Amino acid sequence: MLTTSNHGLRKPEYTDNADIADINYNTDKIDNMPVLYSQSTEPTNKVSGKTLWQDTTNGLLKLWNGSSWNTIAVNSAIKEVSDDTSPSLGGNLDAADYIVGKPVIKDYAEAVKAHGTTGGSITCNLEDGNIHTITLNAATTFAFSNPPASGKAGSLTLIINQGTTAYAVTWPSSVDWSGGSAPDLSTVSTDYVLTFLTLDGGTTWRGWLSGSAFA
């Protein structure tokens, strides 16, 4: 007697008499077939494009493509990751300005935007990083862009190198300087570290010279 290739159903020859036992066998087998396999071992009965398997060893949902299993991507938001005690990222994570509460941060780094040796009109975009470096080769006018929304703190650390010639610097009018005036950056061959802080979406930046003439 022949059997079907996918589920092993009994398949009598066309010249055979109908056998109620075969019909009942096939009916019972079909009735007991799971719509979704949820087990640790790979299902033996599988049909291309139709068999779903939840692999309980890793929680992945897979679809049989005829020769291998395709993992089905999860399109909805992840509700909980507490079951994974050591999750890892395969790429960048964009929190989209949502709060990440109570983290313990270890061995972390901050993105640095290196403007190189340049001058003229320079925009420090916080989306490029919160630390910016520049070596001036001309008079420079700075602008700050993309701070967090009002009510959240945004900070910028700007490291300026004056080479053998010190170039003039013009700051945004939104900067409110500690002590009431912009610091003197006219010493040659000197690095200056300046810090800026805003709490109102960039309407006002509090600015101060953090250090200079590092040896």
Side-chain angles (χ1 to χ4, degrees):
M1 177 180 293
L2 300 176
T3 57
T4 60
S5 58
N6 288 321
H7 298 297
L9 302 178
R10 293 175 180 174
K11 186 178 178 182
E13 297 286 351
Y14 288 108
T15 56
D16 292 343
N17 294 323
D19 190 335
I20 297 300
D22 290 338
I23 296 173
N24 288 342
Y25 173 86
N26 291 340
T27 302
D28 289 340
K29 192 162 188 177
I30 293 171
D31 186 58
N32 289 324
M33 287 180 185
V35 175
L36 169 67
Y37 291 89
S38 181
Q39 57 195 51
S40 60
T41 57
E42 178 180 339
T44 55
N45 292 326
K46 47 187 181 285
V47 181
S48 178
K50 295 182 179 179
T51 303
L52 288 171
W53 170 37
Q54 182 193 28
D55 186 349
T56 56
T57 62
N58 52 32
L60 296 177
L61 183 62
K62 305 175 182 179
L63 177 67
W64 181 249
N65 66 16
S67 59
S68 62
W69 294 98
N70 292 333
T71 300
I72 298 177
V74 178
N75 294 324
S76 60
I78 296 175
K79 301 301 182 183
E80 294 288 346
V81 294
S82 57
D83 291 339
D84 190 343
T85 59
S86 58
S88 60
L89 297 177
N92 294 330
L93 174 64
D94 184 355
D97 291 330
Y98 286 100
I99 294 174
V100 179
K102 299 182 180 180
V104 176
I105 301 175
K106 173 181 162 182
D107 190 21
Y108 76 97
E110 292 187 69
V112 176
K113 169 63 177 179
H115 293 274
T117 301
T118 186
S121 296
I122 300 295
T123 297
C124 294
N125 185 347
L126 268 65
E127 291 186 351
D128 293 332
N130 291 80
I131 299 176
H132 289 235
T133 64
I134 186 170
T135 297
L136 300 184
N137 65 2
T140 301
T141 297
F142 284 101
F144 305 152
S145 68
N146 288 315
S150 181
K152 299 178 181 179
S155 65
L156 167 67
T157 298
L158 178 58
I159 303 173
I160 296 176
N161 174 258
Q162 295 277 30
T164 55
T165 300
Y167 296 96
V169 174
T170 300
W171 299 104
S173 59
S174 56
V175 177
D176 186 5
W177 289 102
S178 174
S181 59
D184 181 6
L185 308 181
S186 63
T187 302
V188 299
S189 302
T190 300
D191 285 333
Y192 295 93
V193 178
L194 300 105
T195 302
F196 302 89
L197 175 68
T198 183
L199 301 176
D200 54 14
T203 300
T204 300
W205 290 86
R206 294 177 174 88
W208 63 94
L209 177 65
S210 299
S212 64
F214 298 93

